Amino acid sequence: MIFVKNLASVSDQEWSTTEKYPGVRWKFLVDADFNGSKGLSCGFAEVLPGGNLTLHHHAPDEIYVVTHGSATLNKSGELEEIKKGDVVYIQGDASHALKNDSNETFGFYWIFPTDRFKDVEYLSDVDHN
Ligand code: NI
């Protein structure tokens, strides 16, 4: 199986959101639940100005490929500014977060070594109480 996806080809797919991650929205591009693909999955996410993908971890390793904007990456407590063109490797179970304090949307692809996004259990490292 070989196929090509892009944001235009999933224009009829609703953006996904969660109140856990304000100002963050995403779409699925390569995912067993959508394409019958396996082994790897990929989606595209945006962190809008002021948005916050708060501190979390998950068992699978993850890669980000930044396509536009800039944001503050939290690397288990150490902060680093990342921007378009950067790629980020996140080891499984490492706490990480993305915060966009700019006035431009931050966009990135994520890649997981899982058949589907739903196989990734997001565990929060933030106390919401
Ligand atoms: Ni993650």
Side-chain angles (χ1 to χ4, degrees):
M1 175 191 295
I2 298 176
F3 60 81
V4 176
K5 288 288 177 183
N6 55 53
L7 277 181
S9 70
V10 295
S11 60
D12 58 343
Q13 183 189 124
E14 294 290 320
W15 289 98
S16 294
T17 60
T18 170
E19 61 186 19
K20 273 168 62 179
Y21 303 129
V24 181
R25 62 182 193 169
W26 63 93
K27 290 194 177 193
F28 304 102
L29 294 169
V30 179
D31 192 289
D33 289 346
F34 291 79
N35 324 113
S37 51
K38 66 178 182 60
L40 294 169
S41 53
C42 177
F44 176 78
E46 290 183 338
V47 183
L48 306 177
N52 195 355
L53 177 50
T54 56
L55 203 62
H56 68 280
H57 66 277
H58 37 68
D61 303 337
E62 182 174 22
I63 283 178
Y64 292 159
V65 180
V66 181
T67 60
H68 54 275
S70 62
T72 304
L73 172 69
N74 184 322
K75 304 182 294 183
S76 303
E78 184 185 344
L79 304 183
E80 178 173 345
E81 289 299 308
I82 60 173
K83 62 188 185 312
K84 175 182 177 176
D86 288 344
V87 295
V88 180
Y89 167 74
I90 301 157
Q91 188 169 17
D93 292 325
S95 293
H96 54 289
L98 281 172
K99 194 168 190 309
N100 183 357
D101 289 323
S102 79
N103 50 27
E104 182 189 350
T105 295
F106 176 79
F108 68 99
Y109 294 102
W110 80 77
I111 300 164
F112 279 123
T114 61
D115 289 347
R116 57 180 63 74
F117 178 75
K118 277 199 314 202
D119 294 340
V120 181
E121 185 184 4
Y122 274 63
L123 299 166
S124 177
D125 297 305
V126 178
D127 186 353
H128 286 287
N129 292 326

